Amino acid sequence: MSSVTPTITTVTPTRPKSLLSRLIEMGTHQRLLAFASLIVLLIGFSLVSPNFMQTSNMIAILQATSVNGVLAIAATLVIITGGIDLSVGTLMTFTAVMAGVVLTYAGMPLPLGVAAAIATGAICGLCSGTFVAKMKIPPFIATLGMMLILKGLSLVISGTRPIYFNDTPGFDQISRGSLIGEIIPALPIPNGVLILFLVAAAASYILGRTVLGRYAFALGSNEEAVRLSGVNTDRWKMAIYALAGGICGIGGLLIASRLNSAQPALGLGYELEAIAAVVIGGTSLSGGRGTILGTLIGALIMAVLTNGLRVLSVAQEWQTVVTGAIIILAVYADMMRRKKG
Amino acid sequence: MSSVTPTITTVTPTRPKSLLSRLIEMGTHQRLLAFASLIVLLIGFSLVSPNFMQTSNMIAILQATSVNGVLAIAATLVIITGGIDLSVGTLMTFTAVMAGVVLTYAGMPLPLGVAAAIATGAICGLCSGTFVAKMKIPPFIATLGMMLILKGLSLVISGTRPIYFNDTPGFDQISRGSLIGEIIPALPIPNGVLILFLVAAAASYILGRTVLGRYAFALGSNEEAVRLSGVNTDRWKMAIYALAGGICGIGGLLIASRLNSAQPALGLGYELEAIAAVVIGGTSLSGGRGTILGTLIGALIMAVLTNGLRVLSVAQEWQTVVTGAIIILAVYADMMRRKKG
Amino acid sequence: QEEVYIPLVSKGFQHQFWQAVKAGADQAADEFGVRVTFEGPDSETMVDRQIDMLAAALANKPSAIGFAALDSQAAIPLLRKAHESGIPVVAFDSGVDSDLPVTTATTDNVAAAALAADKMAEHIGGAGTVAVVAHDQTSRTGIDRRDGFLNRMAAAHPGIEVVSVQYGQGDQLQSTEVAKAILTANPGLAGMFGTNEGSAIGIVNAVREMNATNLVIIGYDSGKAQTDAVRQGVIAGAITQNPVGIGYETVKAAVMAHRGEALPNVIDTGFYYYDASNIDEAKIAAVLYD
Amino acid sequence: MKGIEKRFPGVHALKGVQFDLAEGEVHALMGENGAGKSTLMKVLSGIYKRDGGDLWIGGELADPAGPREAQNLGIGIIHQELSLMNDLTVAQNVFIGREPRGAFGRLDERALNSQTAEIFAAMNLKLDPKAVVGNLTIAKQQMIEIAKALSYRSRVLIMDEPTAALNDAEIAELFAIIRQLQTEGVGIVYISHKMDEIKRIADRVTVMRDGEYVGTVQAADTPLSRIISMMVGREVLEKPLKVPDTSGCEVALEVRQLNRGRDIRDVSFSVRKGEILGFAGLMGAGRTEVARAIFGADPLDSGEVRVHGKVCRIRSPHDAVLAGIGYLSEDRKHFGLATGMDVRANIAMASLNAFVSTAGVLNEKAMEKVALGYISQLGIRTPSDRQEVRFLSGGNQQKVVIAKWLLRDCDILIFDEPTRGIDIGAKSEIYKLLEDLAGQGRAIIVISSELPEVMRLSHRIAVMCEGRLTGILPGGAGTSQEDIMQLATQRDAAVSQAGE
Ligand SMILES: Nc1ncnc2c1ncn2[C@@H]1O[C@H](COP(=O)(O)OP(=O)(O)OP(=O)(O)O)[C@@H](O)[C@H]1O
Ligand SMILES: Nc1ncnc2c1ncn2[C@@H]1O[C@H](COP(=O)(O)OP(=O)(O)OP(=O)(O)O)[C@@H](O)[C@H]1O
Ligand SMILES: [Mg+2]
Ligand SMILES: [Mg+2]
């Protein structure tokens, strides 16, 4: 006991860190190397097609990432707790429809529509969370049920018709406008992308720095141990699902603004894509570990892949084949590097 | 332990059991009560609609279960090992296309087509298994990749056209014919349903009575412990994925025979439905526990639900809402009864 | 000499209908010596995926672009961008609510479905119950064909009641199950209308599996299974558009626009009703596809 | 084994260690927590690849590259951490990888169960081969591990803390088995932190410290104190307990008529401030059940829990902690630790609210300071407080759980087997800690299967048998082991009368 040598106590002091370096550190901490795959893809496509590496195309890729990225962030939160969320896609649609109801049908001002979407998302997330935490329904089933319920409700509420936001000037600017472009005209990054990064930063902060985030990891790591530590696990789990739901609400706003309409039939199949981004980003489906940065990179990999193959005009059936193969290869390369490192 | 003598001591003798009683026993063993939900649904629909409880509609429900049921059985095997298989749907399609290539394009005899479908399934399953076991790629990603690859390859090989089986007389009898109906004309149960039950019985037997099944459960329960016991875990895992793939091949034959054509674009989304049936049937997504009987019941619940709501002519959007709600409720009821029991 | 490149962003890819459009486009591409690519999302609900495809197509600086909008409003910013870069846009299949496209090559789905209603009424003798297996609840084609049929029935055939409209996503298997459930729930049904190939084949499968007799089936589009069923009389008749023509006309118009030639506002590619009696006529055979 | 080297990221776990084992010998491997005992044995059984050194088996250079190869070389191992498949039955676990088979890979379930039953019979173990392992207590699971290792009939059998979860009767049973194996020429490596066992069973003792080889001695003619000082590097003084009178103090926790199925029957007792109440009993006596029920981890059928005189409705561990009750579980891996998280996070797990600044933000600096404090106070051997707990040695993991509850600072603390797998030096440190906590006026319940431990620590000793509290004895010299054992085997009156 007393023979403990003092070498053990040499713990590196924690300096105050910038958000960026913190994000990067979290990445390397998890030995997140999917980043390398992303770079390889970017370089590869640039070499093969001169049209790929244009500012406008890079912005198109980021724009394409924004919705899936936001949904993937929501899915990451839930997956870290050891759950899964299949409802992210249809919840996104449902929140878009609710925004449409508030803005177009009820004619209320823009901020109320934004609030409605996010609140709807959080409430629906809370429902899923309640099913999982209180009713002990496996997350897969709880969120599958929610996925179907929300898909149906979106159609019911919208009357199976798209709701257009033509009466709400500025709504389409949420995603399409470019605050950055107004300041730096050479860099017309759309607001949707900006929002994605803001959401990512916030989620990253919550996961890394707050009690909620800490419990999210702990629940995924060993829920029973957390419960036996006297933590009200149910409440925290519900909070995470609600937060994820709120983020889906932001996703709903992004897609609605991008399409300038709430498309009630959209959203099915988006859950798999979001979860894929999460897993490619190195988050474990069994919970307890994962990073938002990884998820972002995962979402970017998917978007770059899809866009690049399209720009190369690869035949559509081959696009699918190649996408599947590259996803497997990217994760494999990641595994290999992790093993070595 | 030299004192171990080979004499058999006081262990309750196992009587030879009928398949049915064995299936039932396995069900009750897992306290599988999803069965009750199925009965409630059947009774409920019969009360509301006089057209529901007809022989022809019951057969239609069974027929509708057959493809999803077979895929769900394949998914069950993989899920019991602690994995997941997202490729069941597109693998089904791919095997159907391969049967088409062998039978229609190459004009070979029927048995070869059947063999081609099953072998293709097993080989693709083996690929997924290799990715998972040898390359340590998470099952979600490995099978997601396979799902995309197979989706693309089906289109490539078929030339994005359906392949018809008009030149292979008898092919449509695989699913549509009725051996039982020839013997008992009052009970024209289609062969597809018969095949589903045969596959279920075989899978049940493999899981419960063979080394392969034992290791499937063991892998899902604690893979590391199995490895530490000196078992070649990789090989057995690959075997399970291959078996699941072979079963998807049977699924491919069933759907091809039912549509008398291989539809290369079909299959996406079928994986979620199959996994839902598995989970409703009480199999845990974290592996180690599950029954084929449960999966069958889960698949039947989904089919009854869909058919019943359609027979009631509930509006489509509400069908989805009700399906979602009932899935949650059925699993919740199951949970409650399990807790009490 | 610079290559003329014309990407077509369609509403779908895997369905036979879209493959036929693609075939027409390829035919025109050969004829005019241009390069054509053809892409479409997995399902007609994926509006945003189509926008991404359009964005990627524009990145390649095409000579002209063919576009079948899932939702015309959603695409307007990109179409405007194309317009500003001097890339002419040819709309096909359904129009775009804007004057940005130089022309639109399309079928009047509402009128075509109304013709289907008239033929249905003719076959069942103006009275009885019928049902619709539609392929989609929210897509433009799904809505137009469903409503074209329903409105015509209500307006012109008061003796006929449409008892059920259900959706099978154009998936043959799902459509089969839907049709079977409709048959179970409505034993005396006189006819069924399937709004696309998958829906029509689904009805045919259901009738076969349930041994239903005396059901009048009206289909839509072609494809081998459907043309076979028409020949055998299982399907009384079907509407066909001219998908190959749509593809051909779209590329042709795009080439002309690229060359700065004048184009009409709308290129109507037409639709036809075919049954066992006229299926082999040259005019019909030309627009059918397998 | 000679010059064995093993490095993990940040840890040099084995620094040129040597070890030899003769046929028919029981060779004890001793050392503090984290000394490298388990690591050395994992190298021997082919689970870890060594970074240096040579290995001879039966005079030949060997290099087991995996568990299967080690088995073929005749090396069997009982792991320190249970590695069983919880969803499978007992028999299926014992024979995993060697299932009796019929044709076509068909399993012979009957042979499987009967052969398992035989192994158990030979071990004098009453256990249903068809029971599902996940439903059994840790002690029973440990016995299954032992049975499984025995059934391999190895030439070399490694036992890594096999008795940590066992009570005296079971230990005696195990020792009988070991002696028999010895006569058959099996060499046994025996790792344990229970010093008395060394004298009872070992022929030779090898001591390790900080991954280094210290020395090998004959067990018979080396005093325990010398072995201990070899391990710890200093003398460990066992101070006798001073028994302050707590009878006048306020009652902190009172439990009345607890009932839960057949596990807890009419259990009533109270603990005063400043008092340590020991719980003794045989395996399955229901002590853990009582603790979990008080803590709200399992629902009660009936009964009342009063904290500081007030009736407290505790429905969840959350309620319990709010009421000032802490519970350290006997099963650290499943119930005590989030092993995928770091030491710091685990220590803070029960007390996060104390580290929250505005807006729910965690104060990592404060957490780090506290964690480093406990790391040095309890001597937790870890490269840093950011090390994931699963990379710590078993005993150090246990210390992390203890630190978690020390930090939470509850008025009433229930320790279930607190010293399981903890080395002798740390043990006395923990005893001292418990006494200090009691001295500060906390009420403490200690559940332990080691009678000397209960007797040394407790002011009063509660004894349980088959879910009943059969008596409460005074602590200190007045009570003998025999007194406790008598109560611990006092069967249900009605049952024993019927038997007479
Ligand atoms: N997989 C691993 N990764 C990193 N470090 C490890 C790993 N396994 C063991 N260690 C470290 O190696 C050292 C020796 O551990 P080991 O488990 O051999 O100790 P031990 O002597 O068995 O202790 P105990 O008595 O507590 O079981 C410890 O410092 C431990 O933290
Ligand atoms: N999962 C279970 N299923 C059935 N009975 C159980 C289960 N777990 C424990 N028991 C029973 O509950 C009682 C108490 O168990 P337990 O062994 O935990 O008590 P204990 O006094 O804490 O013993 P230990 O010395 O092992 O800590 C015993 O009768 C035991 O057989
Ligand atoms: Mg150890
Ligand atoms: Mg206990």
Side-chain angles (χ1 to χ4, degrees):
Chain A
M1 287 287 305
S2 56
S3 64
V4 176
T5 43
T7 43
I8 294 167
T9 44
T10 51
V11 176
T12 40
T14 32
R15 285 159 281 106
K17 278 165 198 159
S18 73
L19 182 72
L20 183 72
S21 72
R22 219 187 294 139
L23 277 171
I24 289 169
E25 179 198 294
M26 267 191 269
T28 51
H29 183 67
Q30 293 265 347
R31 304 221 193 114
L32 176 87
L33 293 155
F35 196 58
S37 301
L38 179 60
I39 301 296
V40 168
L41 278 179
L42 283 173
I43 295 176
F45 281 125
S46 316
L47 291 181
V48 187
S49 163
N51 291 328
F52 179 76
M53 205 36 108
Q54 303 169 60
T55 318
S56 68
N57 195 44
M58 288 299 109
I59 287 174
I61 290 175
L62 286 173
Q63 179 83 285
T65 315
S66 63
V67 170
N68 185 35
V70 166
L71 296 187
I73 289 169
T76 308
L77 295 178
V78 172
I79 288 173
I80 282 176
T81 70
I84 190 138
D85 196 343
L86 298 178
S87 67
V88 290
T90 57
L91 178 52
M92 164 191 83
T93 301
F94 186 63
T95 59
V97 168
M98 291 307 280
V101 168
V102 168
L103 294 177
T104 302
Y105 289 180
M108 302 215 216
L110 183 60
L112 275 183
V114 171
I118 296 177
T120 306
I123 291 168
C124 293
L126 195 65
C127 287
S128 299
T130 311
F131 296 153
V132 172
K134 293 282 180 199
M135 291 163 65
K136 311 288 175 217
I137 296 173
F140 187 92
I141 289 291
T143 57
L144 177 81
M146 273 309 258
M147 163 177 130
L148 295 174
I149 292 175
L150 293 172
K151 180 186 160 199
L153 285 182
S154 299
L155 291 169
V156 170
I157 291 180
S158 65
T160 63
R161 266 187 310 276
I163 306 178
Y164 293 96
F165 292 96
N166 293 332
D167 308 339
T168 313
F171 185 80
D172 69 335
Q173 294 302 307
I174 294 177
S175 171
R176 286 179 185 165
S178 174
L179 285 179
I180 298 180
E182 279 172 27
I183 304 164
I184 317 164
L187 213 66
I189 291 179
N191 293 341
V193 178
L194 199 66
I195 292 175
L196 167 66
F197 284 109
L198 289 180
V199 170
S204 220
Y205 185 81
I206 290 174
L207 274 181
R209 300 278 141 168
T210 68
V211 186
L212 184 61
R214 177 57 48 87
Y215 284 136
F217 282 106
L219 284 171
S221 192
N222 186 346
E223 180 171 345
E224 189 59 11
V226 180
R227 193 177 75 95
L228 289 180
S229 298
V231 176
N232 192 337
T233 44
D234 290 356
R235 209 175 56 194
W236 291 105
K237 210 189 262 182
M238 286 156 66
I240 288 282
Y241 278 87
L243 177 63
I247 294 178
C248 290
I250 297 177
L253 287 169
L254 286 183
I255 198 164
S257 141
R258 188 156 175 228
L259 304 178
N260 201 25
S261 59
Q263 300 282 341
L266 206 102
L268 220 61
Y270 286 50
E271 67 289 340
L272 270 193
E273 202 160 323
I275 298 171
V278 176
V279 182
I280 292 173
T283 295
S284 152
L285 272 183
S286 48
R289 48 189 62 219
T291 57
I292 296 297
L293 182 63
T295 296
L296 268 189
I297 293 174
L300 275 171
I301 288 182
M302 307 253 312
V304 166
L305 203 51
T306 322
N307 176 285
L309 291 172
R310 280 180 189 148
V311 170
L312 289 187
S313 307
V314 173
Q316 184 157 352
E317 54 272 40
W318 281 108
Q319 283 184 21
T320 329
V321 177
V322 174
T323 306
I326 290 189
I327 286 177
I328 292 179
L329 279 180
V331 174
Y332 179 60
D334 200 22
M335 291 283 151
M336 284 301 93
R337 262 180 262 120
R338 244 185 257 202
K339 220 180 190 176
K340 269 194 222 149
Chain B
M1 294 298 305
S2 60
S3 58
V4 175
T5 45
T7 46
I8 294 160
T9 46
T10 56
V11 175
T12 38
T14 30
R15 286 162 278 104
K17 279 169 196 152
S18 74
L19 182 73
L20 186 72
S21 73
R22 215 187 296 141
L23 278 170
I24 289 170
E25 178 194 294
M26 268 192 267
T28 51
H29 183 69
Q30 293 263 350
R31 304 218 195 118
L32 176 87
L33 292 154
F35 196 58
S37 302
L38 179 59
I39 301 294
V40 169
L41 278 179
L42 283 173
I43 294 177
F45 280 124
S46 314
L47 292 180
V48 187
S49 163
N51 293 324
F52 180 76
M53 203 37 106
Q54 301 169 53
T55 318
S56 68
N57 195 44
M58 290 300 108
I59 288 176
I61 289 175
L62 286 173
Q63 175 88 294
T65 316
S66 62
V67 170
N68 185 37
V70 167
L71 296 186
I73 289 170
T76 308
L77 295 177
V78 172
I79 289 173
I80 282 176
T81 69
I84 191 141
D85 195 344
L86 297 178
S87 66
V88 289
T90 56
L91 178 51
M92 165 191 83
T93 301
F94 187 61
T95 59
V97 168
M98 291 307 279
V101 167
V102 167
L103 294 177
T104 302
Y105 289 0
M108 302 214 214
L110 183 58
L112 275 181
V114 171
I118 296 176
T120 306
I123 292 168
C124 294
L126 193 65
C127 288
S128 300
T130 310
F131 296 154
V132 173
K134 292 282 180 198
M135 292 162 66
K136 310 289 174 218
I137 296 171
F140 187 92
I141 289 293
T143 58
L144 177 82
M146 273 310 258
M147 164 177 130
L148 294 174
I149 292 175
L150 293 172
K151 180 185 159 200
L153 285 184
S154 299
L155 292 171
V156 170
I157 291 180
S158 67
T160 44
R161 264 190 310 276
I163 307 177
Y164 295 95
F165 292 96
N166 293 334
D167 308 338
T168 312
F171 186 80
D172 68 336
Q173 294 302 307
I174 293 178
S175 172
R176 284 184 185 162
S178 174
L179 285 180
I180 297 181
E182 279 171 29
I183 304 164
I184 318 164
L187 213 67
I189 291 178
N191 292 341
V193 178
L194 198 67
I195 292 175
L196 167 66
F197 284 109
L198 289 179
V199 170
S204 223
Y205 180 83
I206 290 173
L207 275 182
R209 302 277 144 165
T210 69
V211 180
L212 183 60
R214 174 62 40 84
Y215 289 149
F217 282 106
L219 284 170
S221 196
N222 186 347
E223 181 171 342
E224 187 59 15
V226 183
R227 205 175 63 82
L228 290 182
S229 303
V231 176
N232 189 337
T233 46
D234 289 357
R235 212 176 53 196
W236 291 105
K237 210 189 260 180
M238 285 157 65
I240 287 282
Y241 278 86
L243 177 62
I247 294 178
C248 290
I250 298 179
L253 288 170
L254 285 182
I255 198 167
S257 143
R258 197 154 170 223
L259 302 177
N260 201 25
S261 59
Q263 299 286 338
L266 211 97
L268 221 62
Y270 284 49
E271 69 287 343
L272 270 194
E273 203 162 323
I275 297 171
V278 176
V279 182
I280 292 173
T283 294
S284 151
L285 272 183
S286 48
R289 49 185 68 214
T291 57
I292 296 297
L293 182 63
T295 296
L296 270 190
I297 293 175
L300 275 171
I301 288 182
M302 307 256 308
V304 167
L305 202 53
T306 323
N307 175 284
L309 291 170
R310 281 180 187 149
V311 168
L312 290 185
S313 298
V314 174
Q316 169 109 357
E317 53 271 39
W318 283 109
Q319 283 184 21
T320 326
V321 176
V322 174
T323 306
I326 290 187
I327 286 177
I328 292 180
L329 279 179
V331 174
Y332 180 60
D334 200 21
M335 291 282 151
M336 285 299 93
R337 262 180 262 121
R338 241 185 260 204
K339 219 181 190 173
K340 269 193 220 147
Chain C
Q1 186 202 330
E2 210 186 317
E3 176 195 59
V4 177
Y5 170 52
I6 301 168
L8 264 57
V9 177
S10 103
K11 292 179 181 177
F13 175 73
Q14 302 155 349
H15 282 107
Q16 290 318 291
F17 178 80
W18 297 115
Q19 285 295 315
V21 174
K22 181 171 183 289
D26 288 342
Q27 193 188 321
D30 282 348
E31 194 170 306
F32 296 103
V34 300
R35 187 163 73 92
V36 163
T37 56
F38 192 93
E39 265 193 306
D42 283 342
S43 106
E44 294 193 9
T45 60
M46 297 180 154
V47 182
D48 65 322
R49 299 299 147 91
Q50 195 192 35
I51 302 295
D52 289 338
M53 287 178 174
L54 191 57
L58 286 175
N60 274 336
K61 308 198 173 70
S63 320
I65 205 161
F67 184 57
L70 286 174
D71 184 295
S72 45
Q73 287 222 8
I76 289 206
L78 277 176
L79 294 181
R80 194 167 291 140
K81 198 174 134 194
H83 186 73
E84 283 159 10
S85 330
I87 301 169
V89 176
V90 176
F92 65 99
D93 190 59
S94 47
V96 172
D97 300 336
S98 150
D99 50 9
L100 288 169
V102 290
T103 183
T104 303
T106 181
T107 312
D108 188 343
N109 275 303
V110 177
L115 175 60
D118 291 340
K119 293 289 177 184
M120 174 73 83
E122 197 180 308
H123 275 97
I124 65 175
T129 53
V130 300
V132 178
V133 176
H135 63 280
D136 202 285
Q137 197 172 8
T138 53
S139 75
R140 197 67 256 157
T141 52
I143 293 170
D144 284 351
R145 292 178 199 172
R146 177 196 66 195
D147 292 350
F149 185 85
L150 295 182
N151 294 341
R152 181 70 181 179
M153 275 298 178
H157 309 287
I160 298 176
E161 187 195 354
V162 181
V163 287
S164 187
V165 179
Q166 297 203 36
Y167 306 83
Q169 308 329 119
D171 171 325
Q172 290 194 4
L173 191 64
Q174 262 200 63
S175 302
T176 306
E177 311 297 4
V178 164
K180 282 171 90 170
I182 292 176
L183 286 174
T184 301
N186 306 283
L189 206 65
M192 268 201 203
F193 172 48
T195 63
N196 76 348
E197 187 192 344
S199 309
I201 300 305
I203 298 172
V204 171
N205 283 336
V207 165
R208 289 215 170 107
E209 288 180 6
M210 296 187 69
N211 290 319
T213 44
N214 299 329
L215 188 82
V216 174
I217 304 172
I218 303 286
Y220 208 108
D221 294 342
S222 44
K224 185 168 166 47
Q226 190 160 209
T227 49
D228 282 356
V230 170
R231 280 181 219 280
Q232 291 160 9
V234 181
I235 290 182
I239 301 290
T240 179
Q241 310 173 71
N242 183 2
V244 179
I246 292 176
Y248 182 88
E249 292 297 339
T250 305
V251 173
K252 185 179 165 195
V255 172
M256 287 169 71
H258 173 64
R259 292 178 187 155
E261 295 170 24
L263 285 162
N265 261 343
V266 175
I267 304 168
D268 190 347
T269 50
F271 59 85
Y272 310 90
Y273 176 80
Y274 67 101
D275 56 20
S277 66
N278 71 349
I279 188 165
D280 291 320
E281 286 174 16
K283 188 182 71 172
I284 298 294
V287 297
L288 295 182
Y289 57 89
D290 284 331
Chain D
M1 303 176 86
K2 240 193 185 129
I4 304 291
E5 290 276 335
K6 179 73 199 172
R7 289 166 200 274
F8 295 114
V11 183
H12 193 169
L14 297 177
K15 307 167 191 164
V17 179
Q18 65 190 66
F19 186 81
D20 67 292
L21 179 71
E23 264 186 25
E25 177 194 38
V26 177
H27 194 155
L29 184 57
M30 307 286 293
E32 289 183 283
N33 295 134
K37 307 180 292 294
S38 300
T39 306
L40 183 65
M41 290 305 115
K42 284 182 180 164
V43 167
L44 176 55
S45 56
I47 292 159
Y48 288 160
K49 229 179 142 44
R50 60 181 185 275
D51 299 330
D54 293 316
L55 210 158
W56 289 269
I57 295 169
E60 280 170 41
L61 264 180
D63 191 10
R68 176 47 63 94
E69 280 188 41
Q71 276 168 22
N72 293 341
L73 287 167
I75 300 171
I77 181 165
I78 300 167
H79 289 285
Q80 179 175 14
E81 301 297 334
L82 291 169
S83 59
L84 294 170
M85 289 133 286
N86 284 338
D87 300 307
L88 267 51
T89 68
V90 172
Q92 290 169 353
N93 263 282
V94 170
F95 277 95
I96 188 78
R98 304 167 298 150
E99 293 79 3
R101 304 178 193 186
F104 305 112
R106 187 185 199 282
L107 291 170
D108 189 345
E109 209 71 18
R110 201 193 287 194
L112 182 73
N113 286 327
S114 64
Q115 287 178 19
T116 310
E118 281 159 29
I119 294 169
F120 288 169
M123 287 171 67
N124 231 339
L125 185 64
K126 285 191 202 73
L127 219 108
D128 179 5
K130 291 184 196 159
V132 174
V133 163
N135 295 338
L136 300 175
T137 58
I138 289 242
K140 285 177 182 160
Q141 294 186 4
Q142 182 69 63
M143 294 306 285
I144 297 168
E145 286 270 30
I146 294 170
K148 179 176 163 190
L150 290 179
S151 70
Y152 279 100
R153 298 152 174 270
S154 314
R155 277 191 293 159
V156 175
L157 186 56
I158 303 163
M159 299 186 166
D160 198 347
E161 302 198 28
T163 56
L166 301 187
N167 66 23
D168 289 344
E170 292 154 343
I171 293 173
E173 205 71 60
L174 177 66
F175 283 2
I177 295 169
I178 291 179
R179 292 217 175 81
Q180 204 205 326
L181 291 173
Q182 235 178 327
T183 62
E184 291 164 18
V186 177
I188 291 167
V189 185
Y190 190 90
I191 301 176
S192 174
H193 289 296
K194 297 185 179 173
M195 302 306 293
D196 59 314
E197 292 176 354
I198 304 310
K199 282 284 179 194
R200 280 168 66 191
I201 196 79
D203 300 316
R204 284 193 297 162
V205 180
T206 288
V207 177
M208 291 175 63
R209 190 163 71 217
D210 279 337
E212 280 173 72
Y213 173 79
V214 176
T216 304
V217 297
Q218 292 295 324
D221 46 44
T222 315
L224 268 184
S225 58
R226 175 155 153 64
I227 297 177
I228 292 172
S229 65
M230 281 169 79
M231 284 167 57
V232 187
R234 67 184 161 94
E235 297 286 321
V236 175
L237 292 178
E238 278 280 311
K239 280 175 294 170
L241 170 72
K242 33 185 188 337
V243 187
D245 186 19
T246 56
S247 54
C249 293
E250 184 194 328
V251 170
L253 174 75
E254 185 172 6
V255 170
R256 287 187 189 164
Q257 301 287 323
L258 288 196
N259 270 298
R260 194 169 81 82
R262 296 179 52 230
D263 298 341
I264 308 173
R265 293 185 278 181
D266 285 340
V267 170
S268 308
F269 65 88
S270 62
V271 202
R272 294 176 186 282
K273 279 182 144 185
E275 184 183 41
I276 299 180
L277 176 67
F279 264 78
L282 300 179
M283 171 179 105
R287 297 162 300 168
T288 298
E289 267 57 29
V290 169
R292 283 178 60 93
I294 294 172
F295 191 57
D298 297 324
L300 275 173
D301 293 342
S302 67
E304 190 178 283
V305 175
R306 287 167 179 260
V307 177
H308 299 305
K310 277 205 261 337
V311 178
C312 224
R313 266 182 63 74
I314 295 174
R315 273 155 298 168
S316 71
H318 181 61
D319 294 343
V321 169
L322 288 184
I325 305 176
Y327 168 65
L328 179 138
S329 160
E330 62 180 341
D331 185 348
R332 59 174 174 256
K333 198 166 147 195
H334 289 115
F335 303 140
L337 293 164
T339 52
M341 300 181 80
D342 58 23
V343 173
R344 186 197 291 178
N346 270 285
I347 290 179
M349 189 67 75
S351 326
L352 276 193
N353 288 339
F355 297 102
V356 177
S357 59
T358 43
V361 178
L362 289 172
N363 185 343
E364 289 285 344
K365 265 225 176 74
M367 270 194 275
E368 178 185 6
K369 196 165 151 242
V370 167
L372 290 178
Y374 282 110
I375 286 173
S376 70
Q377 186 191 350
L378 299 177
I380 300 173
R381 207 150 295 201
T382 169
S384 90
D385 66 329
R386 302 308 301 267
Q387 180 79 340
E388 282 179 32
V389 168
R390 66 195 162 112
F391 294 131
L392 298 192
S393 79
N396 285 308
Q397 293 184 2
Q398 182 74 11
K399 291 179 189 174
V400 173
V401 191
I402 293 176
K404 172 170 85 176
W405 286 111
L406 291 180
L407 174 59
R408 176 68 213 200
D409 201 19
C410 295
D411 290 343
I412 301 160
L413 279 162
I414 308 173
F415 289 93
D416 197 351
E417 312 284 2
T419 61
R420 160 177 299 167
I422 286 211
D423 67 53
I424 177 98
K427 223 179 230 180
S428 64
E429 207 68 34
I430 285 171
Y431 293 163
K432 199 166 138 302
L433 250 165
L434 292 180
E435 275 156 24
D436 288 350
L437 287 171
Q440 292 161 20
R442 294 196 170 73
I444 294 182
I445 294 174
V446 176
I447 301 172
S448 171
S449 297
E450 285 180 67
L451 277 186
E453 181 168 291
V454 184
M455 293 169 66
R456 186 195 167 290
L457 275 173
S458 317
H459 299 141
R460 289 185 299 147
I461 302 169
V463 187
M464 287 190 67
C465 178
E466 294 182 344
R468 290 175 182 283
L469 193 65
T470 46
I472 299 185
L473 300 168
T479 304
S480 70
Q481 293 209 10
E482 288 72 32
D483 297 336
I484 297 175
M485 284 314 290
Q486 203 203 329
L487 283 175
T489 52
Q490 192 174 53
R491 292 280 147 80
D492 193 319
V495 176
S496 49
Q497 263 164 21
E500 276 164 13

